[in-house]
Amino acid sequence: MTFRARSHLAFFASFLLLTTADPVRAGSEDEVKALFTRFVAAQNAHDLKEVGELLQDSAQFLWITRGAPVWGHAAAIKRFETLYQGTWSLDPKMDELKVIELQTGVAQLYVPVTFMISPPGQTAQPTRFLMNQVLVKTGDGWKITSILPIPAPQP
């Protein structure tokens, strides 16, 4: 299956979840939105410690980046550390953020995001993604268990 086909499949699956799942409870929705706000601030500050605290500390953590899976908390932190050496910033459209309860203690977050990404010394170009995250409620609060950005066309 091509990257484009996988992207379309992921988008369709996300669309189905958005249109068939129940809205998350108000208190949990506020908590998930607050965690995402912290995640964006930590990403833009290149704060590895804070980002690490927001990700589920598990070998099952999954982040798809540039069409490749990054499995596990430690691997994700190492990848963020590399990316933070260049330009890396997020600008989410918070007014379009949606939180969907998949089951009690499990939520999906969806928000369009503009990334500014480039290796050190290169000029960053804005890139749009439809950001999808799955979060789980743990004894330490909500944690991000997957990050699944889907490339989107520029408006």
Side-chain angles (χ1 to χ4, degrees):
M1 184 181 294
T2 68
F3 174 72
R4 186 174 176 88
R6 286 191 305 267
S7 294
H8 283 93
L9 181 61
F11 176 76
F12 181 70
S14 296
F15 175 78
L16 286 177
L17 286 171
L18 288 170
T19 58
T20 60
D22 293 329
V24 73
R25 289 174 197 60
S28 293
E29 181 177 4
D30 292 342
E31 292 170 4
V32 168
K33 286 180 178 180
L35 180 132
F36 183 71
T37 298
R38 286 178 52 205
F39 178 74
V40 170
Q43 287 277 306
N44 289 340
H46 298 187
D47 184 342
L48 281 173
K49 183 176 186 292
E50 178 73 0
V51 170
E53 290 175 10
L54 301 173
L55 304 180
Q56 185 178 30
D57 191 1
S58 167
Q60 297 303 309
F61 171 85
L62 171 62
W63 171 27
I64 303 296
T65 177
R66 298 181 186 223
V70 174
W71 286 101
H73 182 273
I77 295 302
K78 185 176 180 178
R79 178 77 175 133
F80 279 125
E81 183 176 32
T82 300
L83 292 169
Y84 290 168
Q85 293 172 15
T87 299
W88 177 269
S89 67
L90 309 169
D91 182 17
K93 295 186 78 119
M94 294 300 283
D95 60 328
E96 295 184 36
L97 185 143
K98 306 275 187 219
V99 177
I100 304 97
E101 183 174 39
L102 301 177
Q103 67 182 45
T104 302
V106 181
Q108 179 174 351
L109 178 142
Y110 160 85
V111 63
V113 174
T114 300
F115 277 94
M116 293 295 286
I117 308 168
S118 71
Q122 293 185 15
T123 303
Q125 298 296 318
T127 306
R128 282 190 71 236
F129 286 90
L130 303 176
M131 176 65 72
N132 295 276
Q133 295 182 347
V134 176
L135 300 96
V136 294
K137 187 151 190 180
T138 70
D140 295 326
W142 287 92
K143 301 290 182 181
I144 299 166
T145 192
S146 67
I147 303 172
L148 308 167
I150 299 169
Q154 296 296 335

